[in-house]
C-alpha cells in the first residue's frame, strides 16, 4: 500500500473514532488492505481458473 494512502485512511479512521490509539488504527488499516488484496487475488485466480476450463 502506498504510504500516503495508508496515512490518509488512518487519518479517516481516527477522525471517525478518535478513541482508537493511532498505532492500532494504522495496523488495522494495513491488515484491512492486506486482506482485501488477498480476497481480490483469490477472486482473480478463480476467474482465471473458470476461464481455462
Amino acid at each position: 500500500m502506498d504510504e500516503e494512502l495508508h496515512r490518509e485512511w488512518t487519518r479517516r479512521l481516527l477522525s471517525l473514532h478518535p478513541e482508537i490509539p493511532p498505532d492500532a488504527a494504522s495496523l488495522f488499516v494495513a491488515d484491512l488492505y492486506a486482506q482485501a488484496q488477498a480476497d481480490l487475488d483469490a477472486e482473480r485466480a478463480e476467474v482465471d481458473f473458470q476461464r481455462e476450463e
Side-chain angles (χ1 to χ4, degrees):
M1 171 181 247
D2 175 83
E3 189 64 31
E4 182 57 37
L5 185 60
H6 181 253
R7 281 194 298 268
E8 177 60 29
W9 279 97
T10 301
R11 279 191 295 263
R12 288 180 184 189
L13 178 58
L14 289 171
S15 74
L16 294 171
H17 297 282
E19 71 279 1
I20 299 173
D23 288 345
S26 180
L27 285 173
F28 177 82
V29 167
D31 289 348
L32 181 64
Y33 180 83
Q35 186 59 55
Q37 200 61 47
D39 290 349
L40 285 172
D41 291 344
E43 187 176 311
R44 286 184 194 118
E46 179 66 26
V47 168
D48 288 345
F49 177 77
Q50 295 295 329
R51 196 176 312 146
E52 290 176 7
E53 287 190 328

